[in-house]
Amino acid sequence: MAPDRSEDVVIDIHGLTKRFGDKTVVDDVSLDVRRGEIVGFLGPNGSGKTTTIRMICGLLRPDAGSGTCLGLDIRKDANRIKRLVGYMTQRFSYYEDLTIRENLDFVARIYALPDRAAVVKRTLERLGLYGRRDQLAGSLSGGWKQRLALAASVMHQPRLLLLDEPTAGVDPQARREFWDEIHTLAEDGLTVLVSTHYMDEAERCHRIIYIAYGKIVAGGTVEEVIESSGLSTIIVSGRDVGTIAKIVRDRPGVEQVAPFGNDLHVVGPDPAALRAAVDAALAETGSDAVASAGQTNLEDVFIRLMQTAQAGDLPANGRPTATERSP
Ligand code: ADP
């Protein structure tokens, strides 16, 4: 008999829908997330990421749809769910005139954690904050503030961490350290659902989900999402790439043209048409630039998905063509 894996299912939602007034901002969203997974939630501003996250953790009641979070019903057990998840938003919401330690102590009181001093100390040590424990939160840099916020959201040892654009406005080094921390937590069994705008962060997730206009339009590993887009890329390197860009932009088969340093990335769905367009542009300009097959990147795919969604050309039921659900 197959082992019972139901314990491993941390989020399992079906057809989640939320309307504000006459606007449907989350539209028939289904997804499941398993223990220890880091799932990235991507999509343009206003596409419904925060609203979905808030429904999952019991902060907002869906208008339609159902599901469980940590085995509890998102409609009936909202209060219990709230205590079992950690939730971190991009807005820093701690007391600037309290020290790091005092802020954590305050949060520990709210959760009524037993043995508070020991819990705070352990959290300070675990998140590398012990040396700064007496520093006022208001005097911290963006990266340290975010580390404090992360510490506060994991102190009660949640089984699910929901991060809503946690690294907005934080420098690359601090972002990298933050993600190292997230992976360490996930290795210990914590499940993470994180919304982000950054491509490098998407690449650090085990799986990503792309949402546009409230609908999931793609999902899977980064490789699967790129593969299922069906896009090809040609990289043009050499002189005159600016002129080539202007010519090739309007040619049939070309969807995107983007300079990356001294290279030009030309992207389209049909490799033969793409190659013909690039070769014609090179011939017309008499350029000695070199065109070679390149790797389509996630940003190219997201631009395509956003444009497709804007044109209203979503897959049936807003369901992605790749797997938005884990196996
Ligand atoms: P994202 O997190 O992807 O940026 P949100 O979930 O925050 O998107 O918002 C989705 C849409 O719902 C936006 O158009 C936003 O203005 C709208 N919205 C969010 N919360 C409310 C609310 N409480 N009342 C009315 N509209 C809202």
Side-chain angles (χ1 to χ4, degrees):
M1 216 170 75
D4 178 9
R5 301 285 303 274
S6 58
E7 287 260 305
D8 279 349
V9 178
V10 174
I11 299 173
D12 187 15
I13 53 165
H14 307 274
L16 230 53
T17 298
K18 184 72 191 173
R19 288 179 281 272
F20 290 119
D22 57 2
K23 194 171 161 204
T24 303
V25 301
V26 175
D27 193 357
D28 193 21
V29 163
S30 302
L31 90 111
D32 63 28
V33 176
R34 287 174 185 272
R35 191 171 120 87
E37 267 196 306
I38 302 174
V39 175
F41 216 9
L42 289 110
N45 269 336
S47 54
K49 300 183 293 296
T50 301
T51 307
T52 304
I53 288 174
R54 290 171 69 85
M55 287 193 284
I56 291 171
C57 67
L59 284 171
L60 204 59
R61 205 175 154 76
D63 292 314
S66 60
T68 59
C69 176
L70 296 165
L72 298 165
D73 189 307
I74 59 166
R75 287 175 175 279
K76 294 189 198 130
D77 300 317
N79 282 333
R80 286 173 69 199
I81 293 172
K82 275 184 237 170
R83 290 189 69 85
L84 295 174
V85 300
Y87 182 41
M88 176 178 162
T89 67
Q90 79 185 87
R91 230 185 52 233
F92 183 71
S93 41
Y94 298 94
Y95 292 101
E96 304 230 322
D97 52 354
L98 293 185
T99 64
I100 290 182
R101 190 189 54 74
E102 288 165 343
N103 266 294
L104 292 181
D105 189 66
F106 179 77
V107 175
R109 274 175 200 267
I110 292 176
Y111 280 102
L113 298 180
D115 209 359
R116 222 170 54 236
V119 170
V120 169
K121 183 162 184 277
R122 188 186 65 214
T123 308
L124 286 166
E125 285 168 349
R126 176 134 195 235
L127 275 292
L129 288 164
Y130 193 76
R132 291 177 184 259
R133 64 191 180 282
D134 293 324
Q135 202 171 327
L136 290 180
S139 70
L140 298 171
S141 69
W144 285 105
K145 277 185 177 164
Q146 170 224 41
R147 191 168 276 254
L148 165 59
L150 180 64
S153 60
V154 298
M155 191 163 43
H156 63 297
Q157 299 191 294
R159 288 162 56 205
L160 169 66
L161 188 55
L162 299 166
L163 305 171
D164 197 356
E165 293 188 30
T167 61
V170 171
D171 70 66
Q173 167 83 19
R175 269 173 44 206
R176 176 163 289 194
E177 285 168 9
F178 181 85
W179 273 87
D180 290 344
E181 206 61 66
I182 295 299
H183 273 272
T184 306
L185 292 165
E187 277 156 26
D188 291 343
L190 186 66
T191 308
V192 182
L193 179 64
V194 51
S195 76
T196 175
H197 280 299
Y198 298 111
M199 296 302 137
D200 57 321
E201 295 194 344
E203 283 166 357
R204 295 199 68 178
C205 295
H206 297 132
R207 187 155 62 96
I208 55 174
I209 291 163
Y210 190 88
I211 181 166
Y213 297 97
K215 288 177 188 285
I216 292 179
V217 294
T221 62
V222 169
E223 294 74 25
E224 283 167 351
V225 169
I226 292 174
E227 176 75 29
S228 67
S229 74
L231 289 174
S232 300
T233 296
I234 290 182
I235 298 176
V236 183
S237 319
R239 288 182 295 119
D240 309 324
V241 290
T243 316
I244 295 164
K246 282 186 200 138
I247 295 177
V248 85
R249 195 176 301 275
D250 299 323
R251 294 293 158 92
V254 175
E255 275 191 7
Q256 297 174 37
V257 178
F260 282 85
N262 297 318
D263 295 342
L264 194 66
H265 288 209
V266 188
V267 181
D270 176 350
L274 196 64
R275 171 56 75 171
V278 170
D279 286 348
L282 289 176
E284 271 175 50
T285 54
S287 166
D288 58 3
V290 178
S292 53
Q295 180 66 49
T296 301
N297 65 34
L298 205 51
E299 191 171 284
D300 301 329
V301 176
F302 287 162
I303 289 172
R304 159 57 114 57
L305 289 169
M306 208 161 72
Q307 289 168 345
T308 316
Q310 264 164 356
D313 189 14
L314 291 167
N317 300 325
R319 283 310 179 81
T321 42
T323 53
E324 117 254 21
R325 302 171 70 85
S326 50

